[in-house]
Coordinates of all heavy atoms in Angstrom, one line a residue:
E53 N 42.4 -21.1 -23.9 CA 42.9 -19.9 -24.6 C 44.0 -20.3 -25.6 O 44.1 -19.8 -26.7 CB 43.4 -18.9 -23.6 CG 43.9 -17.6 -24.3 CD 44.4 -16.6 -23.3 OE1 44.6 -16.9 -22.1 OE2 44.6 -15.4 -23.7
G54 N 44.9 -21.2 -25.2 CA 46.0 -21.6 -26.0 C 45.5 -22.4 -27.3 O 46.2 -22.3 -28.3
A55 N 44.4 -23.1 -27.1 CA 43.9 -23.9 -28.2 C 42.9 -23.1 -29.1 O 42.4 -23.6 -30.1 CB 43.2 -25.1 -27.7
A56 N 42.6 -21.9 -28.8 CA 41.6 -21.1 -29.5 C 42.0 -20.8 -30.9 O 43.2 -20.7 -31.2 CB 41.3 -19.8 -28.8
T57 N 41.1 -20.7 -31.8 CA 41.4 -20.4 -33.2 C 42.1 -19.0 -33.3 O 41.6 -18.1 -32.7 CB 40.1 -20.4 -34.0 OG1 39.5 -21.6 -33.9 CG2 40.4 -20.0 -35.5
P58 N 43.1 -18.9 -34.0 CA 43.8 -17.6 -34.1 C 42.9 -16.5 -34.5 O 42.1 -16.7 -35.5 CB 44.9 -17.9 -35.1 CG 45.1 -19.3 -35.1 CD 43.8 -19.9 -34.8
A59 N 43.0 -15.4 -33.9 CA 42.1 -14.2 -34.2 C 42.7 -13.5 -35.4 O 43.9 -13.5 -35.6 CB 41.9 -13.3 -33.0
P60 N 41.8 -12.7 -36.1 CA 42.3 -11.9 -37.2 C 43.4 -10.9 -36.7 O 43.3 -10.4 -35.6 CB 41.1 -11.2 -37.7 CG 39.9 -12.1 -37.3 CD 40.4 -12.7 -36.0
R61 N 44.3 -10.6 -37.5 CA 45.3 -9.7 -37.2 C 44.8 -8.3 -37.0 O 43.9 -7.8 -37.6 CB 46.4 -9.6 -38.2 CG 46.0 -9.1 -39.6 CD 47.0 -9.4 -40.6 NE 46.6 -8.9 -41.9 CZ 47.0 -7.8 -42.4 NH1 47.7 -6.9 -41.7 NH2 46.6 -7.4 -43.6
S62 N 45.4 -7.5 -36.0 CA 45.0 -6.2 -35.8 C 45.4 -5.3 -36.9 O 46.5 -5.4 -37.5 CB 45.7 -5.7 -34.5 OG 45.4 -4.3 -34.3
R63 N 44.5 -4.4 -37.3 CA 44.8 -3.5 -38.4 C 45.6 -2.3 -38.0 O 46.0 -1.5 -38.9 CB 43.5 -3.0 -39.0 CG 42.7 -4.1 -39.7 CD 43.4 -4.6 -41.0 NE 42.6 -5.6 -41.7 CZ 43.0 -6.1 -42.8 NH1 44.2 -5.9 -43.3 NH2 42.2 -7.0 -43.5
R64 N 45.8 -2.1 -36.7 CA 46.5 -0.9 -36.3 C 47.3 -1.3 -35.0 O 46.7 -1.9 -34.1 CB 45.6 0.2 -36.0 CG 46.3 1.6 -35.7 CD 47.0 2.0 -37.0 NE 47.4 3.4 -36.9 CZ 48.1 4.1 -37.8 NH1 48.4 3.4 -38.9 NH2 48.4 5.3 -37.7
R65 N 48.5 -0.9 -34.9 CA 49.3 -1.4 -33.8 C 49.4 -0.3 -32.7 O 50.4 0.0 -32.2 CB 50.8 -1.6 -34.3 CG 50.8 -2.8 -35.3 CD 52.0 -2.8 -36.2 NE 51.9 -1.7 -37.1 CZ 51.2 -1.7 -38.2 NH1 50.4 -2.7 -38.5 NH2 51.2 -0.6 -39.0
R66 N 48.2 0.2 -32.4 CA 48.1 1.1 -31.3 C 46.6 1.2 -30.8 O 45.7 0.8 -31.6 CB 48.6 2.5 -31.6 CG 47.9 3.1 -32.9 CD 48.7 4.4 -33.2 NE 48.2 5.0 -34.5 CZ 47.5 6.0 -34.5 NH1 47.0 6.6 -33.4 NH2 47.1 6.6 -35.6
P67 N 46.3 1.6 -29.6 CA 44.9 1.5 -29.1 C 44.0 2.4 -29.9 O 44.4 3.4 -30.4 CB 45.0 2.0 -27.7 CG 46.5 1.8 -27.3 CD 47.2 2.0 -28.6
R68 N 42.7 1.9 -30.0 CA 41.7 2.7 -30.7 C 40.8 3.4 -29.6 O 41.1 3.3 -28.4 CB 40.8 1.8 -31.6 CG 41.6 1.2 -32.7 CD 42.2 2.3 -33.6 NE 41.3 3.2 -34.2 CZ 40.6 2.9 -35.3 NH1 40.7 1.8 -35.9 NH2 39.7 3.8 -35.7
G69 N 39.7 4.0 -30.1 CA 39.0 4.9 -29.2 C 38.2 4.3 -28.1 O 37.4 3.4 -28.2
N70 N 38.5 4.8 -26.9 CA 37.6 4.7 -25.7 C 37.3 3.2 -25.4 O 38.2 2.4 -25.2 CB 36.4 5.5 -25.9 CG 36.1 6.3 -24.6 OD1 36.3 5.8 -23.5 ND2 35.7 7.5 -24.8
W71 N 36.0 2.9 -25.2 CA 35.6 1.6 -24.8 C 35.9 0.5 -25.9 O 35.8 -0.7 -25.6 CB 34.1 1.5 -24.4 CG 33.2 2.0 -25.5 CD1 32.7 3.2 -25.7 CD2 32.6 1.2 -26.5 NE1 31.9 3.3 -26.7 CE2 31.8 2.0 -27.2 CE3 32.7 -0.2 -26.8 CZ2 31.0 1.6 -28.3 CZ3 31.9 -0.6 -27.9 CH2 31.1 0.2 -28.6
R72 N 36.2 0.9 -27.1 CA 36.4 0.0 -28.2 C 37.7 -0.7 -28.0 O 38.7 -0.1 -27.7 CB 36.4 0.7 -29.6 CG 35.1 1.5 -29.8 CD 35.3 2.4 -31.0 NE 34.1 3.2 -31.2 CZ 34.1 4.2 -32.1 NH1 35.1 4.5 -32.8 NH2 33.0 4.8 -32.3
F73 N 37.7 -2.0 -28.2 CA 39.0 -2.8 -28.0 C 39.8 -2.6 -29.3 O 39.3 -2.4 -30.3 CB 38.7 -4.3 -27.8 CG 38.0 -4.6 -26.6 CD1 36.6 -4.9 -26.6 CD2 38.7 -4.6 -25.4 CE1 36.0 -5.2 -25.4 CE2 38.0 -4.9 -24.2 CZ 36.7 -5.2 -24.2
P74 N 41.2 -2.7 -29.1 CA 42.0 -2.5 -30.3 C 41.8 -3.7 -31.2 O 42.1 -4.9 -30.8 CB 43.4 -2.5 -29.7 CG 43.3 -3.1 -28.4 CD 41.9 -2.8 -27.9
G75 N 41.5 -3.4 -32.5 CA 41.4 -4.5 -33.5 C 40.3 -5.5 -33.1 O 39.3 -5.2 -32.5
Y76 N 40.5 -6.8 -33.5 CA 39.5 -7.8 -33.2 C 40.1 -8.8 -32.2 O 39.3 -9.5 -31.6 CB 39.2 -8.6 -34.5 CG 38.8 -7.7 -35.6 CD1 39.6 -7.5 -36.7 CD2 37.6 -7.1 -35.6 CE1 39.2 -6.7 -37.8 CE2 37.2 -6.3 -36.6 CZ 38.0 -6.1 -37.7 OH 37.6 -5.3 -38.7
R77 N 41.4 -8.9 -32.0 CA 41.9 -10.0 -31.2 C 41.4 -10.0 -29.8 O 40.9 -11.1 -29.3 CB 43.5 -9.8 -31.1 CG 44.2 -10.9 -30.4 CD 45.7 -10.7 -30.5 NE 46.1 -10.6 -31.8 CZ 46.4 -11.7 -32.6 NH1 46.2 -12.9 -32.1 NH2 46.9 -11.5 -33.8
V78 N 41.3 -8.9 -29.1 CA 40.8 -8.9 -27.8 C 39.3 -9.3 -27.7 O 38.9 -10.2 -26.9 CB 41.0 -7.5 -27.1 CG1 40.4 -7.5 -25.7 CG2 42.5 -7.2 -27.0
N79 N 38.5 -8.8 -28.6 CA 37.1 -9.1 -28.6 C 36.8 -10.5 -28.8 O 36.1 -11.2 -28.1 CB 36.4 -8.3 -29.7 CG 36.4 -6.8 -29.3 OD1 35.7 -6.3 -28.4 ND2 37.2 -6.1 -30.1
R80 N 37.4 -11.1 -29.9 CA 37.1 -12.5 -30.2 C 37.7 -13.4 -29.0 O 37.0 -14.3 -28.6 CB 37.7 -12.9 -31.5 CG 37.3 -14.3 -32.0 CD 37.6 -14.5 -33.4 NE 37.1 -15.7 -33.9 CZ 37.7 -16.9 -33.7 NH1 38.9 -16.9 -33.1 NH2 37.2 -18.0 -34.1
G81 N 38.8 -13.0 -28.6 CA 39.4 -13.8 -27.5 C 38.6 -13.8 -26.2 O 38.4 -14.8 -25.6
R82 N 38.0 -12.6 -25.9 CA 37.1 -12.6 -24.7 C 35.9 -13.5 -24.8 O 35.6 -14.2 -23.9 CB 36.6 -11.1 -24.6 CG 37.7 -10.1 -24.2 CD 38.2 -10.3 -22.8 NE 39.3 -9.4 -22.6 CZ 40.3 -9.8 -21.9 NH1 40.4 -11.0 -21.4 NH2 41.3 -8.9 -21.7
V83 N 35.3 -13.6 -26.0 CA 34.2 -14.5 -26.2 C 34.6 -15.9 -26.0 O 33.9 -16.7 -25.3 CB 33.5 -14.3 -27.6 CG1 32.4 -15.3 -27.8 CG2 33.0 -12.9 -27.7
I84 N 35.7 -16.3 -26.6 CA 36.1 -17.7 -26.5 C 36.5 -18.0 -25.1 O 36.1 -19.0 -24.5 CB 37.3 -17.9 -27.4 CG1 36.9 -17.8 -28.9 CG2 37.9 -19.3 -27.2 CD1 38.0 -17.8 -29.9
V85 N 37.3 -17.1 -24.4 CA 37.8 -17.4 -23.1 C 36.7 -17.4 -22.1 O 36.7 -18.1 -21.1 CB 39.0 -16.5 -22.8 CG1 39.4 -16.7 -21.3 CG2 40.1 -16.7 -23.7
A86 N 35.8 -16.4 -22.3 CA 34.6 -16.3 -21.3 C 33.9 -17.6 -21.3 O 33.5 -18.2 -20.3 CB 33.7 -15.2 -21.7
A87 N 33.6 -18.2 -22.5 CA 32.9 -19.5 -22.6 C 33.7 -20.6 -21.9 O 33.2 -21.4 -21.2 CB 32.6 -19.8 -24.1
A88 N 35.0 -20.5 -22.2 CA 35.9 -21.6 -21.6 C 35.9 -21.4 -20.1 O 35.9 -22.5 -19.4 CB 37.3 -21.4 -22.1
A89 N 35.8 -20.2 -19.6 CA 35.8 -20.0 -18.1 C 34.6 -20.6 -17.5 O 34.7 -21.3 -16.5 CB 35.9 -18.5 -17.8
V90 N 33.4 -20.4 -18.1 CA 32.2 -21.0 -17.6 C 32.3 -22.5 -17.6 O 32.0 -23.2 -16.6 CB 31.0 -20.6 -18.4 CG1 29.7 -21.3 -18.0 CG2 30.8 -19.1 -18.3
A91 N 32.8 -23.1 -18.7 CA 33.0 -24.5 -18.8 C 33.9 -25.1 -17.7 O 33.7 -26.1 -17.1 CB 33.5 -24.9 -20.2
A92 N 35.0 -24.3 -17.5 CA 36.0 -24.7 -16.5 C 35.4 -24.7 -15.1 O 35.6 -25.6 -14.3 CB 37.2 -23.8 -16.6
V93 N 34.6 -23.7 -14.8 CA 34.0 -23.6 -13.5 C 33.0 -24.8 -13.3 O 32.9 -25.4 -12.2 CB 33.2 -22.3 -13.3 CG1 32.4 -22.3 -12.0 CG2 34.3 -21.1 -13.3
V94 N 32.2 -25.1 -14.3 CA 31.3 -26.2 -14.3 C 32.1 -27.5 -14.0 O 31.8 -28.3 -13.1 CB 30.5 -26.4 -15.6 CG1 29.7 -27.7 -15.5 CG2 29.6 -25.2 -15.7
A95 N 33.2 -27.7 -14.7 CA 34.1 -28.8 -14.5 C 34.7 -28.9 -13.1 O 35.0 -29.9 -12.6 CB 35.2 -28.9 -15.5
A96 N 34.8 -27.7 -12.5 CA 35.4 -27.6 -11.2 C 34.4 -27.9 -10.0 O 34.7 -27.9 -8.9 CB 36.0 -26.2 -10.9
G97 N 33.2 -28.2 -10.4 CA 32.2 -28.7 -9.4 C 31.3 -27.6 -8.9 O 30.8 -27.7 -7.7
V98 N 31.0 -26.5 -9.6 CA 30.1 -25.5 -9.1 C 28.9 -25.4 -10.0 O 28.3 -24.4 -10.1 CB 30.9 -24.1 -9.1 CG1 32.0 -24.1 -8.1 CG2 31.4 -23.8 -10.5
V99 N 28.4 -26.5 -10.5 CA 27.3 -26.6 -11.4 C 26.0 -26.0 -10.7 O 25.3 -25.3 -11.2 CB 27.0 -28.0 -11.9 CG1 25.7 -28.1 -12.7 CG2 28.2 -28.5 -12.7

Side-chain angles (χ1 to χ4, degrees):
E53 184 180 13
T57 302
R61 62 192 181 95
S62 174
R63 292 294 187 178
R64 190 63 166 178
R65 294 156 296 281
R66 56 192 177 100
R68 298 299 304 273
N70 228 318
W71 57 268
R72 303 166 181 173
F73 294 102
Y76 307 109
R77 185 177 301 277
V78 175
N79 292 290
R80 188 167 187 276
R82 292 288 173 218
V83 176
I84 294 172
V85 176
V90 174
V93 172
V94 172
V98 295
V99 175

